[in-house]
Amino acid sequence: MHKKIMIIICIFIIMTCSLGNNKIRNKEEKIYKNIYIENINMTSLTKKQCIDVLKEAYPLEDINLKYNSNVWTIHPDDIEFRYKVEEATDKALKYTRTEKIIENFKRKSKLIVNEKHHIKLEADYNSKKLNTIIDCISKQVDKEFVNATLAIENDGSFKKLPSKEGRKLQKEELKKEIDEMIKNKNIVDLNLPVKNTIPTLKTEDVDSVNAILGQFSTAFNNDTSRGSNIHVAGESSSDIILMPNETYSYNKATGPRVLSKGYKYAPVIVGGKYMNGEGGGVCQVSTTIYNAALLAGLEIVEVHNHTYLSHYVSGGRDATVAYGYYDLKFKNPYSHPIYIKNVVGKGSITSKIYGCKDDGQRIYVRTEHEYKKEKIIIKTYRVYLDENNQKIKEELISTSKYDKK
């Protein structure tokens, strides 16, 4: 116990003498022993000497960013990049020169017995300027992907163009890499983190569309306003690619059936009565598409029947539409895209559902009729057959209720 007290007293005497001698002999302050900045021992160095040592050990270097044969160089001044050497030096000098004498004594005591004190050299840069540079690089690197294209002509011929992958600089990832590199004081060349962007419609998707899965035709009087509307609606609801699990909406495809879109006044059923309205006749187009979708094995999501039986299709197989109220919707259940094609001729419209021949199925549609006093009730079934035309399964698609005229 007496020995420990004696050691402390001796240390105190030595420190007091040392402080007095330092004040007499050294006008310039020096860093106390066993004080380190990072892993460099700064014992007895002046402020200028310490700064010089740090600048030599941690020089400011250019940041080179590489991608393929291109190189972008970020100079330290471009982003106000610096190491806080003066701040770290001041911390080292002031560590044993606080305003509290007892705290200074405690710290010096530990340093005298070889307990090291480490100070971190921090780095700083202007993140906004770095973001601006990265945005500029991104504009030079990024490239939009190109979707494959598919067009099927009225004669059934195919026109296809391949897809092309795009690329996109991963800006956040790059910022993080640069930030960590600067903070770790290890400046090296970086390869830009660039990822390929995949087209939503790829070449193989388009190539898989190679057969008709289902088609249906209806007839109409071409030389009427109604016939004109069928032409307009047939074209606007055609040439649509439906990806796997995607849902087709007839109303979305055509949009509002108004005069400004080329539609004319023609007979429509409103409240159970025939009257002239914009777009009369568009239901024949939706009905034709609906029957093609039935035969193609597509999943029927929404369908509605007319008030009365239609003259252009048998009962239970019509699909009335009214923009904002009734729609025809069906989903693509296959793992390949399908292509909806309407061919409108003089007096007939044919809807064809193209897809992958591997998705083709043997399907027919049957209906059951029930006649009541004021209503005709028709149930519509879709029947699936095997290669030997034996029934595999049957599903109820809809139950339609018609008023008797």
Side-chain angles (χ1 to χ4, degrees):
M1 183 70 180
H2 292 291
K3 188 179 286 187
K4 288 184 178 179
I5 295 172
M6 289 300 294
I7 291 171
I8 293 171
I9 293 171
C10 289
I11 291 172
F12 179 75
I13 293 169
I14 293 169
M15 287 172 54
T16 304
C17 294
S18 176
L19 285 170
N21 290 336
N22 282 342
K23 286 181 179 179
I24 296 170
R25 289 180 292 181
N26 299 311
K27 293 181 179 179
E28 189 172 3
E29 294 180 338
K30 293 184 179 181
I31 298 171
Y32 208 77
K33 68 177 298 186
N34 283 328
I35 295 178
Y36 288 70
I37 298 178
E38 293 294 324
N39 292 317
I40 304 174
N41 191 343
M42 298 300 181
T43 300
S44 299
L45 295 185
T46 65
K47 181 174 183 177
K48 183 179 183 306
Q49 289 171 337
C50 181
I51 290 173
D52 290 342
V53 168
L54 289 175
K55 285 184 176 180
E56 184 177 352
Y58 300 101
L60 296 175
E61 299 176 278
D62 292 340
I63 300 173
N64 293 313
L65 307 176
K66 298 181 177 181
Y67 180 70
N68 293 337
S69 60
N70 300 308
V71 179
W72 293 266
T73 299
I74 301 176
H75 302 293
D77 289 343
D78 295 340
I79 57 173
E80 299 174 8
F81 166 39
R82 70 184 186 92
Y83 294 118
K84 297 182 177 181
V85 293
E86 291 194 12
E87 291 91 331
T89 300
D90 286 340
K91 286 182 182 179
L93 284 166
K94 293 176 181 178
Y95 182 68
T96 56
R97 294 176 174 84
T98 71
E99 294 179 354
K100 298 178 180 179
I101 296 174
I102 295 176
E103 180 63 26
N104 295 339
F105 175 76
K106 288 180 180 179
R107 291 182 178 184
K108 288 182 178 180
S109 298
K110 292 179 180 180
L111 294 170
I112 286 172
V113 294
N114 291 325
E115 184 175 314
K116 298 175 181 178
H117 175 67
H118 288 272
I119 296 170
K120 184 174 178 60
L121 177 62
E122 296 180 346
D124 190 27
Y125 65 94
N126 189 318
S127 60
K128 289 185 178 180
K129 289 189 175 182
L130 177 62
N131 290 344
T132 299
I133 292 172
I134 291 176
D135 287 342
C136 182
I137 295 172
S138 175
K139 290 178 182 178
Q140 300 174 58
V141 172
D142 291 356
K143 186 178 181 181
E144 290 292 329
F145 64 75
V146 177
N147 278 325
T149 60
L150 170 63
I152 301 178
E153 303 298 325
N154 288 352
D155 62 3
S157 60
F158 287 71
K159 288 185 178 180
K160 301 178 181 180
L161 287 176
S163 61
K164 294 180 182 179
E165 289 188 350
R167 58 175 181 256
K168 190 169 186 63
L169 174 63
Q170 305 303 293
K171 295 193 288 186
E172 294 304 318
E173 184 178 335
L174 178 58
K175 291 174 190 176
K176 185 178 179 181
E177 287 183 7
I178 293 174
D179 183 72
E180 290 179 353
M181 186 172 64
I182 289 175
K183 287 180 178 178
N184 294 331
K185 294 171 283 297
N186 181 30
I187 306 300
V188 295
D189 292 351
L190 287 179
N191 291 318
L192 291 182
V194 178
K195 288 187 178 180
N196 289 342
T197 54
I198 308 302
T200 54
L201 184 63
K202 295 175 281 189
T203 301
E204 53 266 36
D205 293 328
V206 165
D207 287 342
S208 71
V209 179
N210 52 21
I212 296 175
L213 303 183
Q215 65 178 347
F216 194 81
S217 300
T218 59
F220 63 93
N221 186 343
N222 191 68
D223 300 321
T224 61
S225 295
R226 187 177 181 281
S228 176
N229 291 338
I230 290 174
H231 278 271
V232 176
E235 290 177 3
S236 63
S237 58
S238 180
D239 299 300
I240 294 174
I241 294 175
L242 205 62
M243 298 300 289
N245 295 313
E246 191 174 359
T247 298
Y248 173 90
S249 163
Y250 181 80
N251 285 343
K252 182 179 178 181
T254 64
R257 277 79 72 172
V258 293
L259 298 178
S260 60
K261 289 194 172 186
Y263 290 96
K264 298 178 180 180
Y265 283 105
V268 294
I269 300 175
V270 178
K273 296 181 179 180
Y274 284 95
M275 58 186 302
N276 276 340
E278 289 177 297
V282 297
C283 292
Q284 182 162 349
V285 178
S286 58
T287 293
T288 308
I289 296 173
Y290 168 57
N291 279 271
L294 279 176
L295 296 172
L298 305 185
E299 179 185 338
I300 307 303
V301 176
E302 179 183 350
V303 66
H304 305 273
N305 61 275
H306 288 82
T307 304
Y308 303 113
L309 290 170
S310 301
H311 66 276
Y312 51 80
V313 73
S314 59
R317 298 186 64 168
D318 57 325
T320 188
V321 289
Y323 194 84
Y325 297 96
Y326 301 131
D327 199 1
L328 167 66
K329 294 181 179 179
F330 51 81
K331 182 185 289 187
N332 176 7
Y334 304 121
S335 59
H336 305 97
I338 62 169
Y339 186 98
I340 300 162
K341 178 69 180 182
N342 298 327
V343 180
V344 187
K346 292 183 177 181
S348 69
I349 175 172
T350 299
S351 183
K352 301 178 182 180
I353 307 292
Y354 288 84
C356 179
K357 62 181 180 181
D358 295 337
D359 295 328
Q361 302 180 77
R362 295 172 182 263
I363 293 173
Y364 76 89
V365 178
R366 75 174 187 86
T367 55
E368 291 180 352
H369 295 63
E370 181 182 357
Y371 296 90
K372 293 193 173 183
K373 186 176 181 180
E374 296 180 351
K375 295 283 185 179
I376 302 172
I377 301 174
I378 302 177
K379 291 185 176 181
T380 303
Y381 296 87
R382 179 160 53 187
V383 183
Y384 296 81
L385 306 175
D386 63 17
E387 293 181 354
N388 297 316
N389 288 328
Q390 298 299 309
K391 183 167 72 174
I392 301 172
K393 65 176 181 177
E394 180 177 279
E395 59 182 350
L396 175 65
I397 297 297
S398 66
T399 299
S400 304
K401 297 179 180 180
Y402 303 94
D403 291 342
K404 291 182 178 180
K405 292 183 180 180

